[in-house]
């Protein structure tokens, strides 16, 4: 079954879904989905570029002595707007409180009644719709969810956008080349060496 057919069937199968219906949804395939404003959104296979960037960030933050239980890839995050959404970020850093709340869970998902992740990272995939989701839709949803820090890693435009929550709204800073990434979390961790945009993005040019 092709990706296009799976997405078409997903669109037909679900007009509007509740969060509970999404969590219980099973189409009998190994296909992965997000919930976007109450509608199923098929997720194609991960690109190697995205996987490598997410793995690099996992390893980098692990070296900063963050517990591995607080580092995760492809954990779902429930958000609530006019309709429910469930996103699947490429990488996240959890707070200690959230890691404890998720311990022993049968599904790796940050529910609405749980604390927010400390950092969420999305690696932009090719295509205008993917770009709009990461820069606009997810930005609004993560802001409303109260996530303190959101990184958009764009290997296509060769830039990293760091969004920091200030008084309920995201403030934006863009980093390119050898510019050191200014991040509240990195400052809090007091890392000895600066992480630059080039260090992360060079993985996308191999």
């Amino acid at each position: 079954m092709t990706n296009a057919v799976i997405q078409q069937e997903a669109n037909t199968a679900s007009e509007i879904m509740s969060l509970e219906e999404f969590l219980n949804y099973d189409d009998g395939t190994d296909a992965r989905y997000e919930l976007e404003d109450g509608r199923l959104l098929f997720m194609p296979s991960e690109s190697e570029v995205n996987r490598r960037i997410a793995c690099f960030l996992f390893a980098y933050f692990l070296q900063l002595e963050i517990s591995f239980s607080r580092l995760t890839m492809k954990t779902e995050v429930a958000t609530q707007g006019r309709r429910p959404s469930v996103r699947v970020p490429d990488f996240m850093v959890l707070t200690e409180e959230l890691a404890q709340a998720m311990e022993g869970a049968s599904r790796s998902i940050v529910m609405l009644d749980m604390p927010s992740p400390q950092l969420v990272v999305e690696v932009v995939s090719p295509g205008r719709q993917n770009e709009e989701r990461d820069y606009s839709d997810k930005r609004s949803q993560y802001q409303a969810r109260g996530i303190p820090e959101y990184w958009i890693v764009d290997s296509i435009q060769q830039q990293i956008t760091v969004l920091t929550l200030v008084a309920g709204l995201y403030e934006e800073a863009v980093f390119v080349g050898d510019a050191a990434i200014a991040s509240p979390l990195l400052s809090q961790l007091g890392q000895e060496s600066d992480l630059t945009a080039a260090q992360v993005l060079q993985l996308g040019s191999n």
Side-chain angles (χ1 to χ4, degrees), residues 145-166:
R145 185 68 172 74
I147 296 173
E149 199 169 337
Y150 170 34
W151 293 10
I152 304 171
V153 179
D154 194 333
S155 61
I156 302 162
Q157 298 190 46
Q158 287 288 293
Q159 66 181 29
I160 296 176
T161 302
V162 173
L163 299 162
T164 304
L165 198 64
V166 178

Side-chain angles (χ1 to χ4, degrees), residues 49-143:
V49 168
N50 289 27
R51 186 196 68 80
R52 290 188 182 193
I53 289 174
C55 287
F56 171 83
L57 290 172
F58 190 105
Y60 180 82
F61 279 96
L62 190 63
Q63 290 176 350
L64 297 181
E65 299 184 352
I66 294 182
S67 168
F68 74 90
S69 64
R70 292 178 54 198
L71 305 177
T72 184
M73 296 186 291
K74 298 303 181 182
T75 290
E76 298 168 299
V77 179
T79 68
Q80 182 65 57
R82 188 164 60 93
R83 298 190 182 101
S85 293
V86 176
R87 297 303 189 179
V88 188
D90 292 285
F91 173 73
M92 284 197 301
V93 178
L94 312 180
T95 62
E96 290 283 3
E97 185 181 7
L98 178 54
Q100 292 175 10
M102 294 182 65
E103 189 172 354
S106 59
R107 179 167 178 157
S108 186
I109 179 171
V110 180
M111 297 295 288
L112 292 170
D113 60 351
M114 292 179 176
S116 295
Q118 192 164 3
L119 167 68
V120 166
V121 178
E122 296 280 5
V123 183
V124 181
S125 296
R128 183 175 178 180
Q129 285 188 326
N130 292 321
E131 183 177 334
E132 288 179 353
R133 285 191 181 99
D134 289 339
Y135 280 97
S136 179
D137 300 342
K138 294 179 184 179
R139 173 177 179 155
S140 298
Q141 291 165 352
Y142 293 155
Q143 177 179 276

